[in-house]
């Protein structure tokens, strides 16, 4: 093995990462807790929890429920607002040699633009991920994620508000995700992140009540991997901007599948809960996979999947 | 939190099972070698344990640290093999691996200034966290009297009382069917104890939700300090998913509350602040 | 327990079943193999494998692959055609005291209508399930399932060709499944069946090839249950015709969740592979659930789920 | 098929493990009590076994019937604990439950009119199905000579040869590393055997796909009848999902083929008809 030769440096448009592994929004908070487990500089990037203009209290509990090879969540974007992020969370993250991507969420295009303007001036914020696909808040799914022109409007507004790299995050709960990816590309997005969670529900047959106070929640974890992988493959063939693959990644093998399908980088979400060391183990595992095959860079495998026969 | 960027204060890895012990009914004790956790865990803290290699069950489960060996190389936790993870655990033997993360959560406030009498109130598997607490008080040479009020379904589910007695803890037991100790609920033992007008006691309570709620009510009525260890449904166990939220008072108005995370702001909470 | 009191008789519009448990199309073939395991009269209904006008050879292998709590399939509707069904498969099924529902599939609305005309005259065919949602054939998903007006056209054509009960089967790969259910209702469908499979894929990182010759396949099994349950709940509130719930049902507990969510009956698909006795065990399990609660009929729980708080 | 509507000829239920035996390496023998299957199974047939209670792994896995006890109350199968189901199996003990369905698939054509010499050709775990075949021939008092050509990675993976010898089967072994028998592949043994011009033999071959393919090629070149037992990826194992299809010749034209189901039209197929 010549793992020493492998260089995991990854370029997502104008954004350069030390490796293609990021942690997904909402599954890593603002890094503090995981910093007690490992050095965050091992990560390609950290995507922080969805951040809004004003603080949000979130949904009442119960907010999560485990399902077959997955989990439902309806957190409702509980967060302390962008000011608190800049004052209290960002300084901590800046100590690490990694990229910080802020996942932004608003009710209207104007709110997204406002967030982008505020964050545009922040040193240490490397990119913005535009969360137009959160299924657990009133204005999430229906308004932006289900309508390509609304998607365009939001991305366009953010594009005009900042020159930082922007990555709209797409919902899988649509008939054809490529249409949305193309709208983002046209609006000037640097890349697209996919997928967010599938909308699902669960019922307690003993109490005959929904398992989540919010009735429905977002389904994540290994159960959604086949759907995510299909959408990443389709999207990578439909747009020229890079695709960041997300959905059910727990091991390096999972991550390599996404790279082969055409993802330029990946995000680990629920995998962080399954195995708290998942993200750094995936970085090492990708390196090992490339080294064993005498390859030097993730770009040697990105999109390189072939037909079975 | 003031911890520095590089310093690890939690640990997570696959570790081998050092030994298992069947205590009765479906209750087992499982010991793993994990020196960092054994050395730093405090009573009331827990670990997340993933027993399955695959993705069903997907998430690790929280288990209280039950005891730590004298050299702080291994620690043990107690479990009842009833659900999907715990039944898988029961099929494991020494040498098999588990994925363990910890120590997690806020410990019991056991400092001398909290109270003059330490009272553990356990319902069923709620006993799990108290042995470590009693050991720790003993190790610290804490001179205060320690008492255990312990209720369970039947004699079969009453475990580890010998260990408590060896540590000088005064144990009182109640079972639903009267097969051991008094017939009745642990809240009965608690009522009687508080009726005896103890001197500045603090109650540390762990057990099923209805029992916690009843104990908190009794404590409030009697004006006793009361700390509850909550067994909230958890996602990550370490404060990042915000899925384990509990409603905590921030004032006296109806809207004076915030959602806190049971895993890092708890599992031990002051009963006076919890909104059910 | 007074399980003797429970009467599982279920009405799906004009179709009366002895109990609400059917076997799903493509997971039970034409009943012959399962008849070697148990008496098919125990079932509420059998939905046979998708049947077309002409025989179809199906997709090349590999056709199936197991994923986390689920499986992908791309069978490609291999079947011997409707004539062979009538001559060789139907007579066998008619021996049993159950309902036979034929899952029909075509390339154009006219083919569906033609199939409906042929089957209209068949004694022993109790209803037709219109498969407009198979993701594994060229004319499946894109043309009918993704477009409400095309869905209307097919259902309308079938409705005009037969007076037998018709149940269009809906695809989950859409932004809002209720729109499709309403189109079916308007076209005169007796009920809707949902869900068919989610489109997914998987890659072998060793060979760097897709796991299925067809590249993508349909995802089924417990992994999709939260999505199916959500769609059944939403649809049951959006239409007046009955909803038949499908997706990840392996145990009676799963089936009860669907009934609580608003399904009038359920179908067991991949569950038949997980546990070949699943369907009759589910019938017994539903009976037990009702009996333990002193309830007499599935209708006592259909749609009776409540909010968590 | 001419079976009548009510008659069960397959069986499926949860059964307790009667016993387990570690044979070497990661290879284990697992015996279950299932009289209906033990009484009706034929050599070459298989059962579907689900070891996990949960949904990962989801589907049962196919395993060949390896042996049946004399009173036909129990049967055993052989497995190598390498994948997710088989590793779970290896954690089970006598008394634990498995979900078992069978008997499934087409048996080996062992009738006297097929050939004059019976030759089993096994690669690795492909040995699993042949012991039952040898037992059956012996029970039937079949007078034909039976030979086993058996290859595996190393001595550790060569199992059950003693049982074959006790049944009067002439065994020849090859290992990749030469640690037992001849150094080389089982196809070497086969070449040499066929070069000795045996009288009307039939080959029954089970093992990894490349070995099956090689054996079929050798058989064709020598004009020997050859039956392959395929280890195709399966969904249902009983003919309903049409997911296990293999391409079989129906004539000599390029389009003269049909997709057949490996589980019911196989797993044993005539090598001459299989299109790779
Ligand atoms: C801080 C804390 C400490 C605990 N300490 C112990 C202990 O020392 N010994 C012990 O036996 N149990 C303890 N528990 C409870 C234990 O975590 C659950 O019983 C465990 O989830 C059972 O797992 P299972 O897969 O076997 O059961 P499951 O099949 O998952 O379900 C059994 C029950 O456990 C609940 N449950 C499922 N998942 C979770 C989850 N992620 N978090 C919490 N509850 C869940 C379910 O609601 C269900 O009622 C503790 C819980 C908490 C929160
Ligand atoms: C008719 C037949 C008889 C067999 N008899 C035996 C036997 O007697 N002993 C034995 O050890 N093995 C036997 N096998 C092979 C055995 O079924 C697989 O090795 C088994 O799937 C391993 O399960 P796993 O979960 O441990 O491995 P996995 O983790 O699932 O995977 C290990 C390997 O098995 C393959 N595999 C996975 N699922 C299936 C499936 N549903 N069907 C077939 N292959 C699969 C995968 O491609 C992978 O390469 C037989 C297979 C067939 C088709
Ligand atoms: C508990 C939880 C909270 C999440 N919060 C957010 C969020 O704030 N913003 C966002 O864009 N995605 C959020 N997600 C979605 C994830 O970032 C990710 O897209 C999704 O979970 C699929 O990936 P996974 O299967 O790896 O978890 C959240 C997911 C979970 C499980
Ligand atoms: C192997 C296989 C074949 C299928 N074939 C068909 C089919 O021919 N027609 C159809 O409408 N649905 C077909 N389906 C979909 C199922 O009927 C069902 O809608 C889906 O699998 C979801 O249910 P489940 O999770 O219970 O399997 C097939 C599913 C599988 C797994
Ligand atoms: S369990 Fe994730 S924040 Fe508490
Ligand atoms: S495995 Fe289902 S048809 Fe063969």
């Amino acid at each position: 093995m010549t793992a020493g030769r492998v260089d995991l440096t990854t370029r997502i448009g104008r954004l350069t990462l030390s490796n293609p592994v990021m942690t997904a929004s909402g599954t890593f908070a603002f890094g503090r807790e995981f910093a007690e487990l490992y050095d965050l500089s091992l990560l390609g990037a950290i995507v922080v929890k969805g951040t809004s203009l004003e603080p949000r209290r979130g949904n009442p509990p119960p907010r999560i429920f485990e399902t077959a090879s997955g989990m439902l969540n309806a957190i409702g974007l509980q967060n302390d607002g962008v000011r608190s992020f800049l004052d209290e969370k960002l300084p901590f993250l800046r100590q690490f040699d990694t990229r910080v991507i802020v996942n932004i969420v608003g009710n209207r295009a104007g709110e997204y633009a406002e967030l982008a303007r505020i964050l545009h001036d922040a040193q240490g914020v490397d990119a913005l991920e535009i969360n137009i696909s959160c299924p657990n808040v009133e204005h999430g799914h229906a308004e932006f994620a289900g309508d390509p022109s609304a998607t365009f409007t939001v991305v366009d507004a953010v594009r005009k508000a900042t020159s930082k790299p922007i990555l709209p995050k797409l919902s899988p709960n649509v008939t054809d995700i490529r249409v949305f990816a193309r709208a983002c590309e046209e609006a000037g997005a640097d890349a697209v992140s996919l997928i967010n969670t599938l909308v699902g529900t669960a019922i307690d047959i003993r109490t005959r009540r929904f398992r989540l106070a919010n009735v429905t929640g977002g389904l994540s974890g290994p159960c959604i991997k086949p759907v995510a992988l299909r959408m990443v493959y389709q999207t990578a063939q439909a747009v020229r901007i890079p695709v960041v693959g997300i959905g059910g990644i727990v091991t390096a093998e999972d991550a390599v599948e996404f790279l082969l399908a055409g993802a330029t980088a990946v995000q680990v979400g629920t995998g962080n809960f399954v195995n708290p060391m998942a993200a750094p183990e995936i970085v090492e595992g990708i390196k090992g996979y490339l080294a064993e095959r005498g390859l030097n860079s993730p770009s040697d495998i990105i999109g390189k999947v072939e037909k079975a026969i | 939190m003031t911890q520095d960027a590089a310093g690890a204060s939690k640990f997570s890895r696959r570790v081998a099972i050092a030994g298992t012990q069947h205590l009765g009914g479906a209750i087992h004790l499982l010991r793993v070698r994990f020196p960092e956790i054994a050395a730093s865990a405090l009573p009331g803290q827990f670990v997340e344990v993933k027993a399955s290699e695959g993705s069903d069950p997907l998430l690790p489960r929280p288990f209280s640290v039950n005891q730590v060996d004298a050299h702080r190389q291994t620690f043990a936790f107690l479990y009842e093999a009833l659900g999907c993870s715990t039944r898988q655990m029961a099929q494991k033997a020494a040498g098999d691996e588990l994925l363990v993360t910890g120590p997690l959560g806020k410990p019991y406030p056991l400092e001398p200034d909290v109270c003059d009498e330490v009272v553990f109130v356990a319902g069923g598997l709620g006993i799990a966290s108290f042995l470590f607490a009693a050991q720790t008080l003993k190790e610290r040479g804490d001179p205060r009297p320690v008492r255990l009020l312990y209720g369970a379904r039947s004699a079969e589910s009453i475990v580890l009382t010998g260990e408590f007695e060896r540590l000088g803890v005064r144990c009182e037991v109640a079972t639903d069917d009267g097969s051991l100790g008094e017939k009745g609920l642990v809240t009965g033992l608690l009522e009687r104890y508080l009726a005896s007008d103890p001197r500045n006691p603090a109650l540390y309570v762990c057990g099923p939700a209805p029992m916690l709620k009843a104990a908190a009510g009794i404590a409030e009525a009697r004006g006793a300090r009361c700390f509850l260890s909550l067994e909230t449904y958890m996602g990550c166990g370490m404060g990042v998913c915000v899925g384990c939220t509990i409603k905590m008072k921030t004032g006296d108005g109806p809207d004076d509350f915030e959602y806190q995370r049971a895993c890092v702001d708890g599992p031990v909470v002051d009963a006076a602040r919890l909104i059910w």
Side-chain angles (χ1 to χ4, degrees), chain A, chain B:
Chain A
M1 274 218 265
T2 52
R5 290 272 188 80
V6 177
D7 178 359
L8 293 181
T9 305
T10 298
R11 253 169 230 97
I12 307 178
R14 299 171 289 150
L15 188 67
T16 301
L17 314 182
S18 62
N19 68 65
V21 182
M22 323 185 194
T23 51
S25 179
T27 66
F28 210 73
F30 298 90
R32 213 176 257 283
E33 295 79 7
F34 277 92
E36 295 180 16
L37 276 169
Y38 59 83
D39 179 0
L40 302 188
S41 305
L42 296 172
L43 299 171
I46 293 167
V47 186
V48 305
K49 173 78 189 151
T51 297
S52 51
L53 278 176
E54 300 303 325
R56 291 193 187 185
R57 199 179 243 175
N59 291 326
R63 291 178 170 187
I64 53 171
F65 183 68
E66 185 169 330
T67 62
S69 296
M71 65 178 283
L72 289 165
N73 89 78
I75 307 301
L77 289 170
Q78 173 168 353
N79 81 96
D80 296 336
V82 66
R83 292 291 162 201
S84 156
F85 166 73
L86 291 173
D87 297 346
E88 291 160 36
K89 276 100 179 192
L90 186 58
F92 176 80
L93 282 170
R94 291 196 61 193
Q95 317 171 62
F96 301 98
D97 183 18
T98 185
R99 300 293 172 185
V100 175
I101 300 179
V102 182
N103 182 276
I104 58 172
V105 59
N107 289 330
R108 287 163 292 103
E111 283 184 30
Y112 284 95
E114 178 65 19
L115 279 158
R117 267 187 295 275
I118 295 169
L119 291 163
H120 179 74
D121 299 321
Q123 289 274 333
V125 170
D126 297 293
L128 305 184
E129 186 173 68
I130 313 175
N131 179 3
I132 42 175
S133 50
C134 179
N136 302 321
V137 289
E138 227 173 296
H139 295 270
H141 184 59
E143 269 176 54
F144 302 125
D147 173 359
S149 71
T151 297
F152 180 91
T153 306
V154 172
V155 178
D156 182 58
V158 173
R159 178 71 299 160
K160 287 175 177 143
T162 183
S163 57
K164 288 199 166 153
I166 58 174
L167 300 81
K169 183 164 172 185
L170 303 180
S171 165
N173 304 288
V174 297
T175 307
D176 188 350
I177 199 165
R178 292 169 292 195
V179 176
F180 296 83
R182 282 193 215 105
C184 294
E185 182 172 40
E186 273 169 43
D190 295 84
V192 280
S193 300
L194 56 137
I195 60 176
N196 210 314
T197 52
L198 284 161
V199 183
T201 194
I203 295 170
D204 183 340
I205 66 166
R206 215 174 32 79
T207 62
R208 298 190 222 172
R209 289 177 192 280
F210 285 105
R211 294 281 190 180
L212 301 174
N214 191 53
V215 176
T216 61
L219 184 65
S220 64
C223 59
I224 69 168
K225 195 183 83 172
V227 174
L229 201 61
R230 183 263 299 181
M231 290 186 168
V232 165
Y233 173 69
Q234 288 180 328
T235 304
Q237 298 193 311
V239 295
R240 276 175 309 269
I241 53 177
V243 173
V244 177
I246 320 168
I249 299 174
V250 180
T251 66
E253 289 73 33
D254 297 328
V256 169
E257 271 191 86
F258 277 86
L259 297 176
L260 287 167
T264 300
V266 296
Q267 292 182 14
V268 182
T270 304
N272 293 308
F273 310 160
V274 176
N275 169 13
M277 301 301 285
E281 285 179 10
I282 290 170
V283 176
E284 280 312 298
I286 294 174
K287 194 182 270 183
Y289 178 88
L290 294 171
E292 273 171 34
R293 284 160 182 78
L295 303 172
N296 305 316
S297 155
S299 61
D300 294 335
I301 60 168
I302 292 168
K304 295 283 162 57
V305 64
E306 282 170 34
K307 302 234 164 165
I309 52 167
Chain B
M1 245 181 280
T2 55
Q3 119 283 340
D4 114 63
S9 57
K10 290 197 292 267
F11 308 90
S12 179
R13 66 168 175 266
R14 290 166 195 88
V15 291
I17 296 175
T20 62
Q21 199 183 331
H22 181 208
L23 299 184
I27 305 174
H28 301 255
L29 191 75
L30 199 152
R31 186 176 288 279
V32 294
R33 201 188 139 76
F34 205 142
E36 300 92 326
I37 293 181
S40 62
L42 292 169
Q45 286 193 304
F46 64 96
V47 291
E48 285 271 353
V49 182
K50 181 159 163 71
S52 71
E53 275 187 72
S55 63
D56 182 45
L58 181 67
L59 300 173
R61 299 286 192 265
F63 295 91
S64 302
V65 175
N66 174 265
Q67 46 187 292
V68 160
D69 78 41
H71 305 95
R72 299 226 168 216
Q73 297 291 309
T74 69
F75 72 89
F77 60 91
L78 206 65
Y79 71 91
E80 200 165 2
L82 293 180
C84 44
S85 303
T86 46
R87 280 205 308 266
Q88 285 196 14
M89 271 182 202
Q91 297 201 344
K92 306 244 171 200
D96 289 344
E97 288 200 336
L98 298 173
L99 176 53
V100 176
T101 305
L104 301 166
K106 280 220 179 355
Y108 290 116
L110 291 170
E111 295 71 30
D113 59 350
V114 176
C115 64
D116 294 317
E117 282 199 25
V118 172
V119 186
F120 299 137
V121 186
L125 255 276
I127 193 69
S129 58
F130 293 128
L131 187 60
F132 185 28
Q135 279 177 338
T136 304
L137 289 172
K138 176 91 174 188
E139 268 176 34
R140 289 185 189 159
D142 193 306
R144 292 173 294 168
V146 181
R147 186 184 288 262
L148 170 68
L149 310 178
Y150 181 9
R153 283 186 303 272
S154 68
E156 200 188 50
S157 318
I158 295 287
V159 296
L160 300 175
T161 45
E163 270 77 357
F164 280 98
E165 275 160 5
R166 223 164 296 138
L167 291 164
V169 175
R170 183 154 155 199
C171 301
E172 285 180 66
V173 168
T175 51
D176 296 357
D177 62 2
S179 55
L180 195 76
E182 198 170 294
K183 184 177 160 84
L185 300 175
V186 67
T187 43
L189 303 178
L190 178 61
E191 293 267 22
R192 197 169 55 208
Y193 166 72
L194 290 177
S196 75
D197 261 334
R199 200 180 128 239
N200 185 27
L203 313 180
Y204 301 84
V205 192
C206 188
M211 174 247 180
L212 294 184
K213 208 168 167 175
I218 295 168
E220 198 188 349
R222 295 278 178 180
R225 292 203 70 173
C226 180
F227 301 98
L228 306 177
S229 178
L230 304 174
E231 296 207 347
T232 312
Y233 195 94
M234 287 182 183
C236 66
M238 52 188 277
V240 304
C241 75
V242 210
C244 60
T245 37
I246 46 177
K247 233 170 149 170
M248 297 291 278
K249 274 185 206 143
T250 52
D252 291 328
D255 208 45
D256 292 345
F257 73 90
E258 62 183 18
Y259 289 124
Q260 289 194 350
R261 296 161 297 175
C263 62
V264 289
D265 301 315
V268 178
V269 300
D270 189 332
R273 284 194 56 214
L274 185 70
I275 305 174
W276 287 90

